[in-house]
Amino acid sequence: MRHDLYPTRRRANSTYQARRDPVVWSTAAPPGFVSSEEIETFDRDGVLVLDNLFTDQEIERAVAELDRLRDQADRLEPETVVREPHSDAIRSIFRVHRQSRIFAEMARNPRVRQLVEHILDDEVYVMQSRVNVKPAFDGACFDWHSDFETWHAEDGMPRMRAVSLSVFLSENSYLNGPTMFVPRSHRTFVACPGETPDDNYKTSLRRQEIGVPGNEAISELAEKGGLIAPSGRPGTAVLFDCNLLHASAMNMTPWPRSNVFFVFNAVCNELERPFDGGKPRPEFLAERVPGGGRRYKAA
Ligand code: 6CS
Ligand code: FE
């Protein structure tokens, strides 16, 4: 019987347990462009805002590429184009690092790689990428969740040894549905109620119902850590831990809130069988380590 460090789902209510993994795995000095204080902030809060991580020129190319992908959505892998729950507007485009050379280059950015490989203390690979378009007037919300809870239950991610980088392709402000985070919630694993339906991803990417903690859990953790909604100009990036609770409200403004997300998983944290007992989700959502990763490296 496989030992499950983070049992979730198949229960009536949300239950808590303490995180059993480090947040920052390396004890060495961080890469030069990041200070030790910033790494300590990430360790404490589970989130770090990096202003101007990408240049205006890099962002302009990425925005033009996003427009091209949206215009040519019919040429993309069909399952990777997810539409809004209440309209035909595009909500997300997944696997952009495999469908676009420009987004592939962004994912290979040397500063990004140095930073995430420092935090995870291992080589990394892109387990998932997506552009969340959150279109003007029509961008629906993303319910409260921990990405790791889904990736553990439905993709078989064994340990909390992955991080996400959200890069602003448009202005993120308090108006247009910025991602809200519960700082410090990454140190608590909230096991969620409910049973994972077959092919859950076919609905969860439009409206997540399973893997959503109860309001009491969000209230309690927000009382402790508060709420933040980083804002900034295009090129700003937000690095956040795989287990940090986050959500975003709907976008009613005339301005889209388009961000590209790259999920970096440690090679030693290769995906196993889903811990909720279901069948693995498709590769466009959860890329398994190419050529198989090394076995789990001691912390
Ligand atoms: O299921 C997933 O993998 C996706 N769902 C959400 C709400 N965030 C992480 C990821 O994009
Ligand atoms: Fe998420």
Side-chain angles (χ1 to χ4, degrees), residues 98-268:
R98 295 283 189 205
Q99 302 191 86
S100 155
R101 187 178 46 75
I102 287 174
F103 285 116
E105 277 169 20
M106 279 186 96
R108 282 197 300 270
N109 178 291
R111 285 161 300 167
V112 171
R113 285 295 167 123
Q114 284 171 39
L115 175 55
V116 298
E117 292 193 348
H118 170 74
I119 288 175
L120 301 179
D121 194 22
D122 194 2
E123 292 163 58
V124 299
Y125 74 100
V126 178
M127 185 211 81
Q128 180 186 106
S129 68
R130 64 199 181 275
V131 173
N132 281 350
V133 179
K134 204 176 268 278
F137 299 113
D138 211 358
C141 73
F142 284 79
D143 234 310
W144 286 107
H145 65 282
S146 148
D147 293 338
F148 175 78
E149 193 277 342
T150 291
W151 297 337
H152 182 71
E154 300 185 50
D155 300 327
M157 181 184 279
R159 305 293 290 259
M160 295 179 182
R161 197 163 185 171
V163 289
S164 288
L165 185 78
S166 165
V167 183
F168 296 4
L169 301 181
S170 63
E171 174 93 22
N172 279 225
S173 84
Y174 67 95
L175 295 167
N176 62 348
T179 310
M180 288 184 284
F181 298 96
V182 183
R184 310 190 186 194
S185 62
H186 62 310
R187 290 194 175 279
T188 300
F189 180 68
V190 183
C192 294
E195 193 91 26
T196 313
D198 292 345
D199 291 339
N200 182 41
Y201 71 94
K202 291 184 176 167
T203 52
S204 69
L205 300 179
R206 304 185 74 189
R207 181 98 181 81
Q208 186 172 354
E209 316 249 325
I210 296 292
V212 177
N215 293 343
E216 316 69 48
I218 302 298
S219 304
E220 201 162 320
L221 291 168
E223 279 305 311
K224 286 185 193 152
L227 289 182
I228 60 169
S231 56
R233 57 189 302 278
T236 304
V238 178
L239 187 73
F240 60 101
D241 179 81
C242 59
N243 185 48
L244 190 72
L245 287 173
H246 57 287
S248 61
M250 69 182 299
N251 180 14
M252 303 276 285
T253 73
W255 309 298
R257 190 234 65 190
S258 301
N259 296 3
V260 59
F261 293 75
F262 299 107
V263 179
F264 297 100
N265 188 26
V267 166
C268 66

